[in-house]
Amino acid sequence: MTNQSVIFFDIDGTLLNHDKELPRSTKEAIFKLKEAGHIVAIATGRAPFMYEDLREELGIHTYISYNGQYVVLEGEVLYTNPLHIPSLEKLTEAALEHNHPVVFMDHEDMKANVPEHSYITESIETLKINRFPSHDPHYYKGRELYQSLLFCPEGEETQYEQAYPDFDFVRWHPVSVDILPKGGSKAKGIEKIVRKLGISEENQYAFGDGLNDIEMLSTVKNSVAMGNAEESVKAVAKFVTHSVEEDGILHGLKMVGLI
């Protein structure tokens, strides 16, 4: 085992504020961690191509994308966990009947099964990324997909939860839900990295704010929920810091004694 610590950060609502901006105090804190010899990693529901600029700005080469389904350690793919394509095909057919579009996602791109839809526009625009899914209803064929997006109002995903046991469904927007392989999570991705690195439980840290962070924060020993997190997220974390807007990352790292 090494005495080096590894710190996993969620992106939206954790590293980035509501306006998708990186606070100066957060950037400075990240570099202090790196200067101290710690490993800084990202654990997000986003696709790898959605935060290339952020990784470059912070000099981060270890990351967990798609809530644990695509794991990279120091620039090399360590682990992948693709969706079950036959089940996804059936789900997509059923979703079309209910006017619920689907976006297919691999490590390089995302494609929608319909030419356009207001739900896709509304939710993707909140990410403030420079990419939008183009139309390719057959993108799921002949490739590994690590996540899909189902677009439906809150509560309407329950019909899919009951009908497709191969998947987990995690809502991230009022009209959009992540479709993940059953049992996949950020915590599973973290397990792959810390085992490879040989880092003890005492030297593992995680920061998050969303519902898709619950398993990560309840599994990692030194877990920190952001002040802007939902109460159910705060309830499973060991510590609660300030909000991302109030230098929450800097405060949280001082709280746990890393800087």
Side-chain angles (χ1 to χ4, degrees), residues 114-186:
V114 296
E116 59 182 22
H117 196 287
S118 61
Y119 289 171
I120 299 178
T121 303
E122 178 185 341
S123 54
I124 297 296
E125 282 185 347
T126 65
L127 297 174
K128 297 188 177 180
I129 57 176
N130 59 0
R131 191 181 298 211
F132 194 81
S134 55
H135 180 221
D136 184 351
H138 304 297
Y139 193 68
Y140 64 88
K141 294 184 177 181
R143 56 170 41 89
E144 289 191 341
L145 301 179
Y146 306 108
Q147 182 171 291
S148 287
L149 303 177
L150 171 67
F151 298 86
C152 64
E154 292 186 63
E156 293 187 20
E157 70 273 21
T158 55
Q159 59 187 298
Y160 302 99
E161 292 172 347
Q162 296 166 3
Y164 301 97
D166 288 330
F167 304 133
D168 284 332
F169 298 84
V170 181
R171 183 164 290 279
W172 64 277
H173 185 275
V175 295
S176 188
V177 175
D178 291 334
I179 304 173
L180 300 168
K182 189 70 176 180
S185 70
K186 293 182 182 183

Side-chain angles (χ1 to χ4, degrees), residues 50-102:
M50 290 182 177
Y51 60 103
E52 289 175 308
D53 291 347
L54 180 63
R55 297 201 307 271
E56 184 176 338
E57 182 176 358
L58 297 177
I60 294 176
H61 309 292
T62 295
Y63 50 94
I64 295 166
S65 297
Y66 291 132
N67 291 309
Q69 317 321 309
Y70 191 83
V71 178
V72 171
L73 175 61
E74 289 302 315
E76 299 293 331
V77 178
L78 177 65
Y79 170 77
T80 61
N81 184 32
L83 292 164
H84 186 252
I85 295 301
S87 296
L88 181 64
E89 186 173 16
K90 292 178 181 178
L91 183 152
T92 302
E93 292 171 357
L96 278 173
E97 295 176 2
H98 293 90
N99 193 29
H100 294 159
V102 173

